Amino acid sequence: MFQPEFSLPVALPLRFFRTAPLWLALAALAAFGLEAGEWPQRYSPALLAITHLLMLGFIGNIMVGALLQVCAVLTGIRAQHPERWGWMLWLGLQTGTALLALGLWQMQTHYLQTAAVLLLLSLGALAVWLLTMLWRSRQASALVYPIAGLALTVLSGALLVGVLSVAWPALPLADLLRAHITLGSMAWIFALIIVVGLTVIPMFLVAPSWPARISRYLPAGLAIAVLGAVINAQLLVLLLMPALIWLIALYRLLHQSQRRADPARYLWAWGGFNLIVCTALVPWLDGLSTSWPAQEGIPVLLALHFIVAGLLPIFTAMQAKIIPFLLWMDYRLQVLSGGQLRHMGQLWPEKHLKRLSYLVYLLGISLLPLYLFAFKAIPALIMIFAAALSYCLERAIVHKKRACVS
Amino acid sequence: MADLQLDLRGLAPPEPMERILQWLDAASAGETLLAHLPHTPYPLYDHLRLRRCHWECAEQADGSALLCVQRD
């Protein structure tokens, strides 16, 4: 019988998790330097650069770390030299992100092309390798969908760089751009949130397993809806169906969770709700833009809402569970019995997660008034959040190291 | 028939694994534990490999798992 092994070195996913808050702080710092008039211009070089600092630097690092861990646990996929390949992947992602942001900010084609090559060689190669390994292991895994989503996101991004820098291939820019955004946000990020949630919510929040039909058909349903939306913008509304089904199932599961007071439970609920709000509003984006006084700012506001109110709560909940669990697992491999660490709360105390969650709620709830009247407060709050997240993470690592040597 | 049966389905990680490892460290050769876990405990396998034991795990229809561990 095929038995997956949990043998990924803990340093590998941790490296990505530890880097993510640094990119978030950098993106916030860059956003803080913008003038009021620059904020609503979604396709300005500065905003494109900041978007990629967030989506690739912050979100990309968290998602890749989670993907590697989930693949190792659920499918037993392992590289022969995980540390070496892990370092190369990490380096490719960070360098690619930095060059892409710099290339977009300064509109330098050489930077953009180098970044596209680096990201194809790191993220693209990772996706192809994972898909090959999954196919070889002959396992029917929902992981196929977000990994395919990652591959298509990287490919569409590379094609965008080609169209922008050398006008090749001859594809319509607007359609390619829409495809890239839809693939990145829904086929890659949202699909991986669904798949990671299948494991981490029942496990860490002590809830029943997801209904078998949801686990089996929802990722495929989302993939079909995304492909429809990529082919025809009119079909963006299709995305609402899988998103709503997921939200209803998520709420039912959270309701049955035995950890009623766990802050992660409310973070999942809040993040899930806001992801659906964004998914529901996207198809009407053009209509909203014309009936709103700050017309051109709507898409930026919606993207901010997607990241700050949708993704940030879920990532906080995920990291606050996954990271201490990985550290505890590694600790138990070094200290076989007894020892100082008896539970995960010693590594990432619940009171710290509560404080982080208050900050996340504050950001999400105050986003619209801050955007309209005090936009610089948004990056300031994000910087505080990045520092707090980094503190929790580093504190957990230090605690675990001390426990190992004592 | 197992020497000890534990229902660990209501516990959050890493409590179920801690309980199993604690039992294993204290068990005598030949003793058997039957643990009912909320999910297949893949992360536990590396820890079991480090100890003198063998095990079998059967996934149940409701997503839970029955793990039978015998101390060698």
mmCIF file of all heavy atoms in Angstrom, chain A residues 52 55-56 60 64 67 89 92-93 96-97 100 112-128 131 146-162 176 179-185 187-189:
data_model
loop_
_atom_site.group_PDB
_atom_site.id
_atom_site.type_symbol
_atom_site.label_atom_id
_atom_site.label_comp_id
_atom_site.label_asym_id
_atom_site.label_seq_id
_atom_site.Cartn_x
_atom_site.Cartn_y
_atom_site.Cartn_z
ATOM 1 N N HIS A 52 2.400 43.117 -7.549
ATOM 2 C CA HIS A 52 3.218 41.898 -7.661
ATOM 3 C C HIS A 52 4.078 41.645 -6.424
ATOM 4 O O HIS A 52 4.382 40.494 -6.116
ATOM 5 C CB HIS A 52 4.057 41.932 -8.940
ATOM 6 C CG HIS A 52 3.222 41.637 -10.156
ATOM 7 N ND1 HIS A 52 2.501 42.616 -10.794
ATOM 8 C CD2 HIS A 52 2.941 40.465 -10.799
ATOM 9 C CE1 HIS A 52 1.822 42.066 -11.796
ATOM 10 N NE2 HIS A 52 2.069 40.772 -11.823
ATOM 11 N N MET A 55 1.249 39.940 -4.427
ATOM 12 C CA MET A 55 0.753 38.661 -4.942
ATOM 13 C C MET A 55 1.854 37.611 -5.072
ATOM 14 O O MET A 55 1.613 36.427 -4.861
ATOM 15 C CB MET A 55 0.057 38.851 -6.298
ATOM 16 C CG MET A 55 -1.156 39.754 -6.258
ATOM 17 S SD MET A 55 -2.402 39.262 -5.043
ATOM 18 C CE MET A 55 -3.296 38.008 -5.925
ATOM 19 N N LEU A 56 3.044 38.038 -5.452
ATOM 20 C CA LEU A 56 4.153 37.080 -5.602
ATOM 21 C C LEU A 56 4.997 37.002 -4.335
ATOM 22 O O LEU A 56 5.311 35.917 -3.855
ATOM 23 C CB LEU A 56 5.050 37.512 -6.759
ATOM 24 C CG LEU A 56 4.878 36.801 -8.093
ATOM 25 C CD1 LEU A 56 5.783 37.445 -9.123
ATOM 26 C CD2 LEU A 56 5.188 35.313 -7.998
ATOM 27 N N GLY A 60 2.567 34.677 -2.665
ATOM 28 C CA GLY A 60 3.283 33.590 -3.352
ATOM 29 C C GLY A 60 4.134 32.770 -2.401
ATOM 30 O O GLY A 60 4.129 31.538 -2.449
ATOM 31 N N VAL A 64 3.372 28.882 -1.669
ATOM 32 C CA VAL A 64 4.366 27.868 -2.043
ATOM 33 C C VAL A 64 4.775 27.061 -0.812
ATOM 34 O O VAL A 64 4.877 25.828 -0.868
ATOM 35 C CB VAL A 64 5.596 28.509 -2.743
ATOM 36 C CG1 VAL A 64 6.736 27.513 -2.876
ATOM 37 C CG2 VAL A 64 5.199 29.020 -4.123
ATOM 38 N N LEU A 67 1.923 24.792 -0.097
ATOM 39 C CA LEU A 67 1.816 23.766 -1.145
ATOM 40 C C LEU A 67 2.847 22.655 -0.940
ATOM 41 O O LEU A 67 2.513 21.463 -1.011
ATOM 42 C CB LEU A 67 2.005 24.405 -2.527
ATOM 43 C CG LEU A 67 1.987 23.457 -3.728
ATOM 44 C CD1 LEU A 67 0.597 22.871 -3.931
ATOM 45 C CD2 LEU A 67 2.419 24.169 -5.004
ATOM 46 N N LEU A 89 14.552 27.058 -5.436
ATOM 47 C CA LEU A 89 13.181 27.534 -5.657
ATOM 48 C C LEU A 89 12.966 28.855 -4.916
ATOM 49 O O LEU A 89 12.413 29.812 -5.478
ATOM 50 C CB LEU A 89 12.187 26.474 -5.157
ATOM 51 C CG LEU A 89 10.700 26.840 -5.194
ATOM 52 C CD1 LEU A 89 10.223 27.048 -6.623
ATOM 53 C CD2 LEU A 89 9.856 25.750 -4.527
ATOM 54 N N GLY A 92 14.922 31.624 -6.661
ATOM 55 C CA GLY A 92 14.280 31.982 -7.929
ATOM 56 C C GLY A 92 13.051 32.842 -7.712
ATOM 57 O O GLY A 92 12.842 33.845 -8.408
ATOM 58 N N LEU A 93 12.255 32.475 -6.697
ATOM 59 C CA LEU A 93 11.023 33.224 -6.407
ATOM 60 C C LEU A 93 11.338 34.636 -5.903
ATOM 61 O O LEU A 93 10.734 35.610 -6.355
ATOM 62 C CB LEU A 93 10.172 32.458 -5.382
ATOM 63 C CG LEU A 93 8.884 33.147 -4.898
ATOM 64 C CD1 LEU A 93 7.959 33.492 -6.054
ATOM 65 C CD2 LEU A 93 8.137 32.265 -3.897
ATOM 66 N N GLY A 96 13.084 36.661 -8.769
ATOM 67 C CA GLY A 96 12.081 36.920 -9.801
ATOM 68 C C GLY A 96 11.099 37.994 -9.368
ATOM 69 O O GLY A 96 10.748 38.892 -10.147
ATOM 70 N N THR A 97 10.662 37.930 -8.110
ATOM 71 C CA THR A 97 9.719 38.922 -7.579
ATOM 72 C C THR A 97 10.352 40.315 -7.564
ATOM 73 O O THR A 97 9.740 41.295 -7.998
ATOM 74 C CB THR A 97 9.285 38.537 -6.144
ATOM 75 O OG1 THR A 97 8.710 37.232 -6.183
ATOM 76 C CG2 THR A 97 8.278 39.515 -5.577
ATOM 77 N N LEU A 100 10.802 41.607 -11.135
ATOM 78 C CA LEU A 100 9.504 41.919 -11.741
ATOM 79 C C LEU A 100 8.969 43.245 -11.205
ATOM 80 O O LEU A 100 8.511 44.098 -11.975
ATOM 81 C CB LEU A 100 8.502 40.789 -11.469
ATOM 82 C CG LEU A 100 7.169 40.884 -12.208
ATOM 83 C CD1 LEU A 100 7.357 40.752 -13.716
ATOM 84 C CD2 LEU A 100 6.200 39.813 -11.731
ATOM 85 N N LEU A 112 12.046 42.838 -16.697
ATOM 86 C CA LEU A 112 10.813 42.065 -16.847
ATOM 87 C C LEU A 112 11.088 40.709 -17.484
ATOM 88 O O LEU A 112 10.576 39.678 -17.034
ATOM 89 C CB LEU A 112 9.787 42.834 -17.695
ATOM 90 C CG LEU A 112 9.173 44.083 -17.069
ATOM 91 C CD1 LEU A 112 8.277 44.809 -18.069
ATOM 92 C CD2 LEU A 112 8.351 43.723 -15.839
ATOM 93 N N GLN A 113 11.925 40.713 -18.527
ATOM 94 C CA GLN A 113 12.225 39.457 -19.223
ATOM 95 C C GLN A 113 13.022 38.502 -18.328
ATOM 96 O O GLN A 113 12.753 37.297 -18.295
ATOM 97 C CB GLN A 113 12.989 39.752 -20.517
ATOM 98 C CG GLN A 113 12.102 40.375 -21.587
ATOM 99 C CD GLN A 113 12.891 41.053 -22.695
ATOM 100 O OE1 GLN A 113 14.106 41.194 -22.609
ATOM 101 N NE2 GLN A 113 12.194 41.489 -23.737
ATOM 102 N N THR A 114 13.992 39.047 -17.600
ATOM 103 C CA THR A 114 14.781 38.198 -16.691
ATOM 104 C C THR A 114 13.887 37.616 -15.601
ATOM 105 O O THR A 114 13.998 36.435 -15.256
ATOM 106 C CB THR A 114 15.928 39.020 -16.041
ATOM 107 O OG1 THR A 114 16.606 39.743 -17.051
ATOM 108 C CG2 THR A 114 16.915 38.127 -15.310
ATOM 109 N N ALA A 115 12.986 38.463 -15.077
ATOM 110 C CA ALA A 115 12.054 38.001 -14.045
ATOM 111 C C ALA A 115 11.158 36.887 -14.579
ATOM 112 O O ALA A 115 10.931 35.880 -13.895
ATOM 113 C CB ALA A 115 11.200 39.172 -13.561
ATOM 114 N N ALA A 116 10.673 37.057 -15.814
ATOM 115 C CA ALA A 116 9.796 36.042 -16.414
ATOM 116 C C ALA A 116 10.520 34.708 -16.550
ATOM 117 O O ALA A 116 9.963 33.644 -16.241
ATOM 118 C CB ALA A 116 9.301 36.519 -17.778
ATOM 119 N N VAL A 117 11.779 34.762 -16.976
ATOM 120 C CA VAL A 117 12.577 33.529 -17.120
ATOM 121 C C VAL A 117 12.789 32.875 -15.755
ATOM 122 O O VAL A 117 12.597 31.664 -15.586
ATOM 123 C CB VAL A 117 13.944 33.830 -17.799
ATOM 124 C CG1 VAL A 117 14.869 32.619 -17.736
ATOM 125 C CG2 VAL A 117 13.725 34.259 -19.247
ATOM 126 N N LEU A 118 13.160 33.694 -14.760
ATOM 127 C CA LEU A 118 13.405 33.163 -13.405
ATOM 128 C C LEU A 118 12.151 32.531 -12.802
ATOM 129 O O LEU A 118 12.209 31.465 -12.187
ATOM 130 C CB LEU A 118 13.896 34.281 -12.480
ATOM 131 C CG LEU A 118 15.385 34.613 -12.545
ATOM 132 C CD1 LEU A 118 15.675 35.885 -11.771
ATOM 133 C CD2 LEU A 118 16.217 33.460 -11.983
ATOM 134 N N LEU A 119 11.023 33.183 -12.989
ATOM 135 C CA LEU A 119 9.772 32.656 -12.415
ATOM 136 C C LEU A 119 9.286 31.422 -13.169
ATOM 137 O O LEU A 119 8.721 30.510 -12.569
ATOM 138 C CB LEU A 119 8.695 33.750 -12.394
ATOM 139 C CG LEU A 119 8.996 34.899 -11.423
ATOM 140 C CD1 LEU A 119 8.081 36.093 -11.648
ATOM 141 C CD2 LEU A 119 8.882 34.428 -9.973
ATOM 142 N N LEU A 120 9.552 31.383 -14.472
ATOM 143 C CA LEU A 120 9.228 30.171 -15.239
ATOM 144 C C LEU A 120 10.089 29.011 -14.764
ATOM 145 O O LEU A 120 9.605 27.886 -14.610
ATOM 146 C CB LEU A 120 9.459 30.402 -16.729
ATOM 147 C CG LEU A 120 8.283 30.948 -17.547
ATOM 148 C CD1 LEU A 120 8.726 31.313 -18.949
ATOM 149 C CD2 LEU A 120 7.137 29.937 -17.619
ATOM 150 N N LEU A 121 11.383 29.306 -14.517
ATOM 151 C CA LEU A 121 12.314 28.254 -14.092
ATOM 152 C C LEU A 121 12.078 27.796 -12.654
ATOM 153 O O LEU A 121 12.398 26.666 -12.303
ATOM 154 C CB LEU A 121 13.767 28.739 -14.226
ATOM 155 C CG LEU A 121 14.310 28.851 -15.655
ATOM 156 C CD1 LEU A 121 15.692 29.474 -15.651
ATOM 157 C CD2 LEU A 121 14.347 27.478 -16.336
ATOM 158 N N SER A 122 11.532 28.685 -11.824
ATOM 159 C CA SER A 122 11.296 28.290 -10.425
ATOM 160 C C SER A 122 9.857 27.811 -10.230
ATOM 161 O O SER A 122 9.610 26.607 -10.068
ATOM 162 C CB SER A 122 11.642 29.448 -9.480
ATOM 163 O OG SER A 122 10.950 30.630 -9.853
ATOM 164 N N LEU A 123 8.897 28.714 -10.291
ATOM 165 C CA LEU A 123 7.495 28.348 -10.044
ATOM 166 C C LEU A 123 6.940 27.440 -11.141
ATOM 167 O O LEU A 123 6.229 26.475 -10.861
ATOM 168 C CB LEU A 123 6.629 29.609 -9.932
ATOM 169 C CG LEU A 123 6.849 30.501 -8.718
ATOM 170 C CD1 LEU A 123 5.885 31.674 -8.732
ATOM 171 C CD2 LEU A 123 6.704 29.726 -7.423
ATOM 172 N N GLY A 124 7.261 27.759 -12.397
ATOM 173 C CA GLY A 124 6.774 26.938 -13.512
ATOM 174 C C GLY A 124 7.323 25.527 -13.434
ATOM 175 O O GLY A 124 6.583 24.542 -13.584
ATOM 176 N N ALA A 125 8.628 25.431 -13.175
ATOM 177 C CA ALA A 125 9.257 24.107 -13.069
ATOM 178 C C ALA A 125 8.696 23.337 -11.871
ATOM 179 O O ALA A 125 8.473 22.127 -11.954
ATOM 180 C CB ALA A 125 10.766 24.267 -12.938
ATOM 181 N N LEU A 126 8.458 24.044 -10.759
ATOM 182 C CA LEU A 126 7.878 23.392 -9.577
ATOM 183 C C LEU A 126 6.510 22.788 -9.923
ATOM 184 O O LEU A 126 6.227 21.636 -9.574
ATOM 185 C CB LEU A 126 7.708 24.411 -8.431
ATOM 186 C CG LEU A 126 6.897 23.922 -7.223
ATOM 187 C CD1 LEU A 126 7.691 22.919 -6.394
ATOM 188 C CD2 LEU A 126 6.447 25.089 -6.347
ATOM 189 N N ALA A 127 5.690 23.579 -10.623
ATOM 190 C CA ALA A 127 4.346 23.104 -10.978
ATOM 191 C C ALA A 127 4.422 21.881 -11.888
ATOM 192 O O ALA A 127 3.709 20.892 -11.663
ATOM 193 C CB ALA A 127 3.568 24.234 -11.656
ATOM 194 N N VAL A 128 5.287 21.939 -12.887
ATOM 195 C CA VAL A 128 5.420 20.805 -13.828
ATOM 196 C C VAL A 128 5.908 19.563 -13.085
ATOM 197 O O VAL A 128 5.397 18.459 -13.282
ATOM 198 C CB VAL A 128 6.367 21.171 -14.999
ATOM 199 C CG1 VAL A 128 6.697 19.946 -15.844
ATOM 200 C CG2 VAL A 128 5.739 22.253 -15.864
ATOM 201 N N LEU A 131 3.120 18.142 -10.835
ATOM 202 C CA LEU A 131 2.090 17.480 -11.650
ATOM 203 C C LEU A 131 2.584 16.125 -12.147
ATOM 204 O O LEU A 131 1.850 15.134 -12.142
ATOM 205 C CB LEU A 131 1.684 18.365 -12.836
ATOM 206 C CG LEU A 131 0.819 19.588 -12.492
ATOM 207 C CD1 LEU A 131 0.653 20.498 -13.709
ATOM 208 C CD2 LEU A 131 -0.553 19.169 -11.966
ATOM 209 N N PRO A 146 -4.983 23.395 -8.101
ATOM 210 C CA PRO A 146 -4.191 24.602 -7.821
ATOM 211 C C PRO A 146 -2.808 24.567 -8.458
ATOM 212 O O PRO A 146 -2.278 25.615 -8.842
ATOM 213 C CB PRO A 146 -4.097 24.633 -6.295
ATOM 214 C CG PRO A 146 -4.500 23.295 -5.815
ATOM 215 C CD PRO A 146 -5.396 22.723 -6.860
ATOM 216 N N ILE A 147 -2.212 23.373 -8.579
ATOM 217 C CA ILE A 147 -0.876 23.296 -9.196
ATOM 218 C C ILE A 147 -0.977 23.660 -10.684
ATOM 219 O O ILE A 147 -0.143 24.414 -11.200
ATOM 220 C CB ILE A 147 -0.241 21.899 -9.001
ATOM 221 C CG1 ILE A 147 -0.003 21.616 -7.508
ATOM 222 C CG2 ILE A 147 1.077 21.792 -9.750
ATOM 223 C CD1 ILE A 147 0.336 20.170 -7.185
ATOM 224 N N ALA A 148 -2.012 23.133 -11.341
ATOM 225 C CA ALA A 148 -2.237 23.509 -12.751
ATOM 226 C C ALA A 148 -2.526 25.012 -12.839
ATOM 227 O O ALA A 148 -2.073 25.689 -13.774
ATOM 228 C CB ALA A 148 -3.399 22.711 -13.326
ATOM 229 N N GLY A 149 -3.243 25.535 -11.852
ATOM 230 C CA GLY A 149 -3.529 26.973 -11.798
ATOM 231 C C GLY A 149 -2.254 27.784 -11.678
ATOM 232 O O GLY A 149 -2.100 28.818 -12.336
ATOM 233 N N LEU A 150 -1.320 27.305 -10.862
ATOM 234 C CA LEU A 150 -0.020 27.978 -10.721
ATOM 235 C C LEU A 150 0.722 27.976 -12.057
ATOM 236 O O LEU A 150 1.248 29.007 -12.496
ATOM 237 C CB LEU A 150 0.823 27.274 -9.644
ATOM 238 C CG LEU A 150 2.280 27.705 -9.530
ATOM 239 C CD1 LEU A 150 2.405 29.163 -9.106
ATOM 240 C CD2 LEU A 150 3.043 26.824 -8.523
ATOM 241 N N ALA A 151 0.753 26.811 -12.715
ATOM 242 C CA ALA A 151 1.461 26.692 -14.002
ATOM 243 C C ALA A 151 0.883 27.672 -15.022
ATOM 244 O O ALA A 151 1.626 28.380 -15.717
ATOM 245 C CB ALA A 151 1.368 25.257 -14.523
ATOM 246 N N LEU A 152 -0.443 27.749 -15.099
ATOM 247 C CA LEU A 152 -1.094 28.634 -16.081
ATOM 248 C C LEU A 152 -0.912 30.107 -15.723
ATOM 249 O O LEU A 152 -0.806 30.964 -16.599
ATOM 250 C CB LEU A 152 -2.587 28.295 -16.180
ATOM 251 C CG LEU A 152 -2.906 26.930 -16.823
ATOM 252 C CD1 LEU A 152 -4.382 26.587 -16.662
ATOM 253 C CD2 LEU A 152 -2.520 26.926 -18.299
ATOM 254 N N THR A 153 -0.868 30.400 -14.417
ATOM 255 C CA THR A 153 -0.639 31.791 -13.981
ATOM 256 C C THR A 153 0.754 32.249 -14.393
ATOM 257 O O THR A 153 0.923 33.352 -14.931
ATOM 258 C CB THR A 153 -0.791 31.922 -12.444
ATOM 259 O OG1 THR A 153 -2.079 31.434 -12.070
ATOM 260 C CG2 THR A 153 -0.638 33.349 -11.988
ATOM 261 N N VAL A 154 1.746 31.402 -14.147
ATOM 262 C CA VAL A 154 3.133 31.740 -14.513
ATOM 263 C C VAL A 154 3.251 31.875 -16.031
ATOM 264 O O VAL A 154 3.870 32.824 -16.532
ATOM 265 C CB VAL A 154 4.114 30.661 -13.976
ATOM 266 C CG1 VAL A 154 5.532 30.937 -14.450
ATOM 267 C CG2 VAL A 154 4.088 30.634 -12.448
ATOM 268 N N LEU A 155 2.624 30.958 -16.761
ATOM 269 C CA LEU A 155 2.688 30.988 -18.227
ATOM 270 C C LEU A 155 2.032 32.257 -18.779
ATOM 271 O O LEU A 155 2.616 32.941 -19.634
ATOM 272 C CB LEU A 155 2.007 29.740 -18.797
ATOM 273 C CG LEU A 155 2.037 29.592 -20.318
ATOM 274 C CD1 LEU A 155 3.478 29.406 -20.814
ATOM 275 C CD2 LEU A 155 1.182 28.408 -20.778
ATOM 276 N N SER A 156 0.844 32.588 -18.257
ATOM 277 C CA SER A 156 0.159 33.790 -18.754
ATOM 278 C C SER A 156 0.939 35.053 -18.385
ATOM 279 O O SER A 156 0.970 36.021 -19.158
ATOM 280 C CB SER A 156 -1.268 33.864 -18.217
ATOM 281 O OG SER A 156 -1.277 33.861 -16.805
ATOM 282 N N GLY A 157 1.605 35.029 -17.225
ATOM 283 C CA GLY A 157 2.448 36.166 -16.834
ATOM 284 C C GLY A 157 3.634 36.323 -17.765
ATOM 285 O O GLY A 157 3.963 37.448 -18.178
ATOM 286 N N ALA A 158 4.255 35.201 -18.129
ATOM 287 C CA ALA A 158 5.392 35.247 -19.059
ATOM 288 C C ALA A 158 4.939 35.745 -20.435
ATOM 289 O O ALA A 158 5.648 36.526 -21.092
ATOM 290 C CB ALA A 158 6.029 33.868 -19.177
ATOM 291 N N LEU A 159 3.751 35.308 -20.876
ATOM 292 C CA LEU A 159 3.212 35.769 -22.165
ATOM 293 C C LEU A 159 2.934 37.274 -22.122
ATOM 294 O O LEU A 159 3.189 37.989 -23.103
ATOM 295 C CB LEU A 159 1.925 35.009 -22.507
ATOM 296 C CG LEU A 159 2.080 33.527 -22.882
ATOM 297 C CD1 LEU A 159 0.718 32.862 -23.037
ATOM 298 C CD2 LEU A 159 2.886 33.372 -24.178
ATOM 299 N N LEU A 160 2.446 37.754 -20.983
ATOM 300 C CA LEU A 160 2.201 39.195 -20.812
ATOM 301 C C LEU A 160 3.497 39.990 -20.959
ATOM 302 O O LEU A 160 3.519 41.036 -21.615
ATOM 303 C CB LEU A 160 1.608 39.462 -19.422
ATOM 304 C CG LEU A 160 0.082 39.541 -19.308
ATOM 305 C CD1 LEU A 160 -0.324 39.647 -17.858
ATOM 306 C CD2 LEU A 160 -0.481 40.716 -20.100
ATOM 307 N N VAL A 161 4.559 39.477 -20.343
ATOM 308 C CA VAL A 161 5.863 40.137 -20.456
ATOM 309 C C VAL A 161 6.294 40.166 -21.926
ATOM 310 O O VAL A 161 6.790 41.181 -22.430
ATOM 311 C CB VAL A 161 6.927 39.424 -19.583
ATOM 312 C CG1 VAL A 161 8.335 39.909 -19.925
ATOM 313 C CG2 VAL A 161 6.635 39.663 -18.104
ATOM 314 N N GLY A 162 6.064 39.055 -22.630
ATOM 315 C CA GLY A 162 6.404 38.992 -24.062
ATOM 316 C C GLY A 162 5.622 40.004 -24.872
ATOM 317 O O GLY A 162 6.195 40.736 -25.700
ATOM 318 N N LEU A 176 -5.561 38.808 -22.296
ATOM 319 C CA LEU A 176 -4.466 38.101 -21.623
ATOM 320 C C LEU A 176 -4.331 38.573 -20.172
ATOM 321 O O LEU A 176 -4.117 37.767 -19.254
ATOM 322 C CB LEU A 176 -3.153 38.346 -22.383
ATOM 323 C CG LEU A 176 -1.947 37.509 -21.970
ATOM 324 C CD1 LEU A 176 -2.234 36.018 -22.050
ATOM 325 C CD2 LEU A 176 -0.740 37.853 -22.841
ATOM 326 N N ALA A 179 -7.132 37.100 -18.169
ATOM 327 C CA ALA A 179 -6.838 35.679 -17.933
ATOM 328 C C ALA A 179 -5.812 35.521 -16.817
ATOM 329 O O ALA A 179 -5.973 34.687 -15.924
ATOM 330 C CB ALA A 179 -6.313 35.042 -19.218
ATOM 331 N N HIS A 180 -4.776 36.355 -16.843
ATOM 332 C CA HIS A 180 -3.705 36.279 -15.835
ATOM 333 C C HIS A 180 -4.260 36.566 -14.435
ATOM 334 O O HIS A 180 -3.952 35.834 -13.481
ATOM 335 C CB HIS A 180 -2.603 37.282 -16.196
ATOM 336 C CG HIS A 180 -1.428 37.261 -15.257
ATOM 337 N ND1 HIS A 180 -0.644 36.151 -15.074
ATOM 338 C CD2 HIS A 180 -0.908 38.229 -14.448
ATOM 339 C CE1 HIS A 180 0.309 36.421 -14.185
ATOM 340 N NE2 HIS A 180 0.164 37.670 -13.787
ATOM 341 N N ILE A 181 -5.083 37.602 -14.322
ATOM 342 C CA ILE A 181 -5.654 37.966 -13.021
ATOM 343 C C ILE A 181 -6.599 36.869 -12.527
ATOM 344 O O ILE A 181 -6.556 36.466 -11.353
ATOM 345 C CB ILE A 181 -6.397 39.332 -13.106
ATOM 346 C CG1 ILE A 181 -5.400 40.455 -13.398
ATOM 347 C CG2 ILE A 181 -7.160 39.626 -11.821
ATOM 348 C CD1 ILE A 181 -6.042 41.775 -13.816
ATOM 349 N N THR A 182 -7.450 36.360 -13.430
ATOM 350 C CA THR A 182 -8.415 35.322 -13.041
ATOM 351 C C THR A 182 -7.707 34.034 -12.640
ATOM 352 O O THR A 182 -8.050 33.412 -11.625
ATOM 353 C CB THR A 182 -9.401 35.039 -14.201
ATOM 354 O OG1 THR A 182 -9.917 36.280 -14.666
ATOM 355 C CG2 THR A 182 -10.560 34.155 -13.757
ATOM 356 N N LEU A 183 -6.710 33.643 -13.421
ATOM 357 C CA LEU A 183 -5.963 32.417 -13.117
ATOM 358 C C LEU A 183 -5.220 32.554 -11.788
ATOM 359 O O LEU A 183 -5.239 31.656 -10.948
ATOM 360 C CB LEU A 183 -4.973 32.098 -14.239
ATOM 361 C CG LEU A 183 -5.582 31.579 -15.553
ATOM 362 C CD1 LEU A 183 -4.557 31.652 -16.689
ATOM 363 C CD2 LEU A 183 -6.081 30.149 -15.398
ATOM 364 N N GLY A 184 -4.553 33.700 -11.607
ATOM 365 C CA GLY A 184 -3.770 33.902 -10.383
ATOM 366 C C GLY A 184 -4.629 33.929 -9.137
ATOM 367 O O GLY A 184 -4.316 33.274 -8.138
ATOM 368 N N SER A 185 -5.734 34.685 -9.172
ATOM 369 C CA SER A 185 -6.545 34.852 -7.973
ATOM 370 C C SER A 185 -7.433 33.645 -7.688
ATOM 371 O O SER A 185 -7.596 33.249 -6.536
ATOM 372 C CB SER A 185 -7.393 36.122 -8.073
ATOM 373 O OG SER A 185 -8.218 36.061 -9.219
ATOM 374 N N ALA A 187 -7.764 30.353 -9.899
ATOM 375 C CA ALA A 187 -7.298 28.985 -10.217
ATOM 376 C C ALA A 187 -6.111 28.583 -9.356
ATOM 377 O O ALA A 187 -5.906 27.401 -9.086
ATOM 378 C CB ALA A 187 -6.931 28.889 -11.697
ATOM 379 N N TRP A 188 -5.325 29.561 -8.925
ATOM 380 C CA TRP A 188 -4.146 29.247 -8.109
ATOM 381 C C TRP A 188 -4.425 29.507 -6.628
ATOM 382 O O TRP A 188 -4.482 28.569 -5.826
ATOM 383 C CB TRP A 188 -2.942 30.035 -8.627
ATOM 384 C CG TRP A 188 -1.779 30.290 -7.718
ATOM 385 C CD1 TRP A 188 -1.190 31.493 -7.474
ATOM 386 C CD2 TRP A 188 -1.016 29.337 -6.947
ATOM 387 N NE1 TRP A 188 -0.143 31.356 -6.598
ATOM 388 C CE2 TRP A 188 -0.002 30.051 -6.258
ATOM 389 C CE3 TRP A 188 -1.095 27.960 -6.749
ATOM 390 C CZ2 TRP A 188 0.912 29.438 -5.398
ATOM 391 C CZ3 TRP A 188 -0.177 27.339 -5.893
ATOM 392 C CH2 TRP A 188 0.808 28.076 -5.235
ATOM 393 N N ILE A 189 -4.671 30.770 -6.260
ATOM 394 C CA ILE A 189 -4.780 31.103 -4.832
ATOM 395 C C ILE A 189 -6.051 30.531 -4.193
ATOM 396 O O ILE A 189 -5.977 29.825 -3.184
ATOM 397 C CB ILE A 189 -4.695 32.633 -4.623
ATOM 398 C CG1 ILE A 189 -3.313 33.138 -5.042
ATOM 399 C CG2 ILE A 189 -4.958 32.997 -3.167
ATOM 400 C CD1 ILE A 189 -3.194 34.633 -5.138
#
